[in-house]
Amino acid sequence: YAEGLSRALLPEILAEVLVCGLSGLTAEEMVKACEVDDGCMKKESAANGSKGLDAQPPIDCVGRVGKGLHRTLSEDGPFDCVLIMASTRRRASSPMGITRIVADSDSESEHVVDHIQRLHEVCHSAGVPSVILSVPPSLFAKEASGYGDKYDEVNFMLQEWARGADATAESQGVLGYINTEALLPYSEDSLLWDRDGLHFSRAGSLHFGAQLAE
């Protein structure tokens, strides 16, 4: 959605929007990638002053290689703000080639929220404020037994966290909360959604970015 966002901000705002969209990683997995990235960077830095270039990068479900959040902030900045949209479910394939949905291994919504908060805290520790994008809607959230309630709980707690941070935004680093479902609600018949029921289509990504700019 970076392309749609940067286009929609013109001509009033000329912005360079860097995106790291990794499919199929839960918030828990992104935090683990951050921890590996940070640990390797510290180890390498202590050893020879490097930036930890041997850190294990996160790899998504289609084999794309990304960067850990620590590395992105340290190597590709400076940044004025970071928008974080994380999920609690991912797509996986069985040896038979059957696609299934795997939820975050933590059963408690509080644990999921903790993982997402930790991603934001990585940004704050680097001096960069962040914006919470709610866990996006999906066919899975709509139909999977028990997941819809968890989806609602996680987003409610994230919104409350953002509201609580308003009074201390300067120190907390959270600038606000954006309801992604309000910008792009899930519809099985919409061309804005991929056929897998989990991801935006290209048209949906452009639309979502334009809506964010509003």
Side-chain angles (χ1 to χ4, degrees):
Y1 56 86
E3 182 180 351
L5 176 58
S6 58
R7 283 182 184 178
L9 290 172
L10 293 172
E12 289 83 4
I13 301 175
L14 178 61
E16 180 181 1
V17 183
L18 177 68
V19 64
C20 180
L22 296 174
S23 298
L25 294 185
T26 66
E28 178 183 11
E29 291 165 328
M30 285 191 281
V31 167
K32 288 179 180 177
C34 262
E35 291 171 346
V36 170
D37 182 34
D38 186 41
C40 288
M41 288 179 69
K42 289 178 179 178
K43 182 177 179 180
E44 290 294 320
S45 178
N48 55 26
S50 76
K51 293 184 178 181
L53 299 181
D54 294 327
Q56 179 65 38
I59 302 175
D60 74 3
C61 67
V62 293
R64 292 181 302 179
V65 179
K67 283 187 174 184
L69 187 54
H70 279 289
R71 179 172 298 241
T72 298
L73 290 169
S74 65
E75 295 181 358
D76 299 326
F79 295 96
D80 296 306
C81 179
V82 174
L83 283 68
I84 295 179
M85 179 168 60
S87 178
T88 62
R89 78 283 181 275
R90 59 184 173 86
R91 183 174 61 180
S93 295
S94 71
M96 300 286 292
I98 300 172
T99 298
R100 67 189 191 283
I101 305 304
V102 180
D104 193 309
S105 62
D106 287 311
S107 60
E108 298 298 329
S109 297
E110 289 84 356
H111 294 163
V112 178
V113 171
D114 178 64
H115 290 138
I116 295 175
Q117 288 175 333
R118 287 166 68 184
L119 291 172
H120 286 271
E121 288 163 1
V122 169
C123 301
H124 306 161
S125 65
V128 183
S130 64
V131 173
I132 302 169
L133 302 182
S134 69
V135 176
S138 66
L139 177 64
F140 187 54
K142 186 177 180 181
E143 296 187 352
S145 176
Y147 182 79
D149 291 339
K150 181 177 180 180
Y151 164 84
D152 291 335
E153 289 174 359
V154 168
N155 282 333
F156 176 77
M157 287 190 285
L158 287 174
Q159 186 173 23
E160 289 299 296
W161 183 52
R163 286 176 175 170
D166 283 346
T168 57
E170 185 175 347
S171 59
Q172 182 67 35
V174 177
L175 298 181
Y177 170 93
I178 295 176
N179 181 357
T180 60
E181 186 170 17
L183 303 185
L184 185 53
Y186 175 75
S187 173
E188 191 172 358
D189 300 323
S190 174
L191 295 178
L192 300 180
W193 286 87
D194 191 85
R195 289 179 298 175
D196 66 3
L198 295 176
H199 300 98
F200 303 152
S201 65
R202 172 166 171 75
S205 292
L206 292 172
H207 174 81
F208 183 75
Q211 291 298 302
L212 273 177
E214 297 295 327

